[in-house]
Amino acid sequence: MGIFSAAATGRGVRRRFFSFLRGAAPEPLADLALAETISADEVQVLDALANGSGRSYRFPARLEREFQRYMRLSSAAARLSVVLLTIALFASAPVWTPLLRFSAEQSENLMLFMEFGLIVPLFTALGLLLLRWPAESWVEWLLIGAFVVEAACIEFIRYHSEGAGLLIPPSLGIVVPVAVLTLTRLSSGQSLILILSYVVIMVLGQYAAQGAMAARDPGTWLFEFMLLLVVLLSTVWARLSYRRQWAARVLLSLMAYRDSLTGLSNRRAFEEHYELAISALARGRTQKQLFALIDLDHFKKVNDRYGHEYGDGVLAEIGLVLSHSARRAMDMAARLGGEEFALLLYGCEAVAGRKRMEELVAAFSALGIEHQENESGVITCSVGAVIVGPHHSLSEAYRAADALLYQAKRTGRNRYYLEDLSGGSGAADAELIGNPT
């Protein structure tokens, strides 16, 4: 059993490793979850950033967290590659260090300790953490800390090697911050912290050298300062570009899952959400939910009499009413197309469903939106609703609700019909709202 468990663990690590090489990305449903909950104010911020017209380059707090998580996931492969390269260089040091002509056994022992006692174990652990938790911020800070330790080790070895008769160029250590900044997509603040840490290491090393030949001359200081400044500016501008790209990505996801006119979810988002809700029903204590089809009465006559602009305004108002009806996390209101809407109320049974449908039909009439071609003179709706359980597919729920909606239309409109299909009484319940003629 131990052998098989180890083999399974090894296969899991290999799968995760090769998925990283292909490029990590957020989960497929992450865009849907974000598109479902995003607010109008957040959309404005995203649009301003995507178009480069915003005064600030930061997102609101919730979106900022999502962006940082996205950056950590999208750069996971590059970060892991830099870590593996560091391990490979230090682990192979016994092969290439003799070429540096170290003459002192003490220096050789020091190199071996730095390589196999510190750097290789540290970066091996870091690589495993990146494989397991690529989206966690604390792993990102450990990454920065590990490369600061590496830079310090290189500086220490460089100064110590002078006593062994080897003069290592001062600019060797700068490869570390340059490689990290250009490949790992750190934030501007983290990049600045890494650079300041490297500068502190250089200053301390210069002080400890006390005039040795390995110390940096003014020309080297100027070169490294200019190089770090250029890399930092490049990182800042690249980060801003990533922000704009991510804002555009979220807006595209929003267009894919959100109806632009009403602000409600669209058919695609509703279908995916229904499957999630059904799965939640099967796992949880709640075994019922309400699915309703809502259709505006004689809406085609609205466009004919008042024009399409008026009709669009009506749909927008209806969208607000339905969005207020989907109040809980697993609830959803969606526009399926034209004047047809859908409503999903998670954990809603027949008794509560009757009350909610009665309130919904009354709310449409209470808007008082003029519609002279309708019997009541205002916009009204007809609703077909069903109570379903975890075994009911969306197609089954849709057919049953559509039949009840047709019945509501045929018997006078401005009303709802509700039927419990989840194993309840099975009797249809109808409630008449208003005074249709």
Side-chain angles (χ1 to χ4, degrees), residues 94-115:
V95 177
W96 53 263
T97 48
L99 301 177
L100 299 179
R101 301 175 184 176
F102 276 107
S103 59
E105 182 180 351
Q106 182 180 2
S107 298
E108 294 177 1
N109 293 335
L110 175 64
M111 287 287 291
L112 289 174
F113 170 75
M114 290 291 185
E115 293 155 5

Side-chain angles (χ1 to χ4, degrees), residues 60-353:
R62 184 174 71 97
L63 293 182
E64 184 68 27
R65 290 193 298 271
E66 291 291 335
F67 169 71
Q68 299 294 347
R69 179 178 180 276
Y70 170 78
M71 289 300 296
R72 288 191 286 268
L73 284 173
S74 61
S75 61
R79 295 178 178 186
L80 186 61
S81 299
V82 176
V83 170
L84 293 177
L85 178 60
T86 302
I87 294 174
L89 287 175
F90 279 86
S92 62
V95 177
W96 53 263
T97 48
L99 301 177
L100 299 179
R101 301 175 184 176
F102 276 107
S103 59
E105 182 180 351
Q106 182 180 2
S107 298
E108 294 177 1
N109 293 335
L110 175 64
M111 287 287 291
L112 289 174
F113 170 75
M114 290 291 185
E115 293 155 5
F116 296 100
L118 183 59
I119 298 298
V120 172
L122 175 63
F123 278 83
T124 300
L126 179 61
L128 294 175
L129 291 175
L130 280 171
L131 281 171
R132 180 63 181 86
W133 295 289
E136 298 297 329
S137 60
W138 58 270
V139 177
E140 192 171 43
W141 285 108
L142 287 178
L143 175 78
I144 296 172
F147 281 105
V148 170
V149 171
E150 181 189 4
C153 289
I154 291 175
E155 284 295 295
F156 183 79
I157 292 172
R158 194 177 69 80
Y159 284 113
H160 190 81
S161 64
E162 185 179 353
L166 178 65
L167 185 61
I168 299 177
S171 299
L172 178 64
I174 202 172
V175 173
V176 174
V178 170
V180 175
L181 293 176
T182 54
L183 296 177
T184 59
R185 298 185 183 180
L186 297 176
S187 68
S188 301
Q190 291 171 330
S191 300
L192 184 59
I193 290 174
L194 178 61
I195 289 177
L196 291 177
S197 300
Y198 177 74
V199 170
V200 170
I201 291 171
M202 288 194 301
V203 171
L204 292 177
Q206 186 83 356
Y207 177 77
Q210 296 180 352
M213 294 181 64
R216 289 172 172 82
D217 57 41
T220 302
W221 278 104
L222 180 61
F223 166 75
E224 294 197 9
F225 173 78
M226 294 299 296
L227 180 59
L228 290 174
L229 180 60
V230 169
V231 174
L232 178 61
L233 290 176
S234 174
T235 301
V236 170
W237 285 110
R239 192 74 174 187
L240 179 57
S241 177
Y242 293 140
R243 286 180 176 274
R244 290 175 176 172
Q245 292 173 16
W246 186 78
R249 170 194 170 100
V250 175
L251 289 174
L252 287 174
S253 299
L254 196 62
M255 292 173 62
Y257 291 106
R258 186 79 66 90
D259 176 62
S260 59
L261 178 61
T262 62
L264 298 176
S265 299
N266 60 15
R267 180 184 289 270
R268 174 186 176 184
F270 188 83
E271 291 173 351
E272 294 186 13
H273 184 82
Y274 186 92
E275 297 303 321
L276 291 175
I278 285 295
S279 299
L281 284 180
R283 297 191 305 267
R285 297 179 180 178
T286 299
Q287 294 292 311
K288 297 183 179 182
Q289 62 184 359
L290 181 145
F291 171 78
L293 286 177
I294 303 103
D295 191 86
L296 300 184
D297 297 328
H298 299 299
F299 184 75
K300 290 181 175 61
K301 296 180 180 180
V302 171
N303 290 328
D304 295 339
R305 181 179 178 115
Y306 300 97
H308 288 280
E309 185 175 351
Y310 183 88
D312 289 347
V314 172
L315 293 175
E317 289 292 327
I318 296 305
L320 289 175
V321 174
L322 286 173
S323 65
H324 293 153
S325 298
R327 297 185 288 249
R328 295 175 301 176
M330 290 295 291
D331 295 348
M332 176 179 276
R335 183 188 179 194
L336 301 183
E339 68 272 21
E340 186 179 52
F341 298 85
L343 182 65
L344 187 70
L345 301 179
Y346 185 80
C348 184
E349 299 188 1
V351 175

Side-chain angles (χ1 to χ4, degrees), residues 363-380:
F364 276 50
S365 299
L367 289 174
I369 301 174
E370 181 182 341
H371 183 10
Q372 292 299 327
E373 299 295 329
N374 203 8
E375 292 85 346
S376 61
V378 296
I379 291 292
T380 59

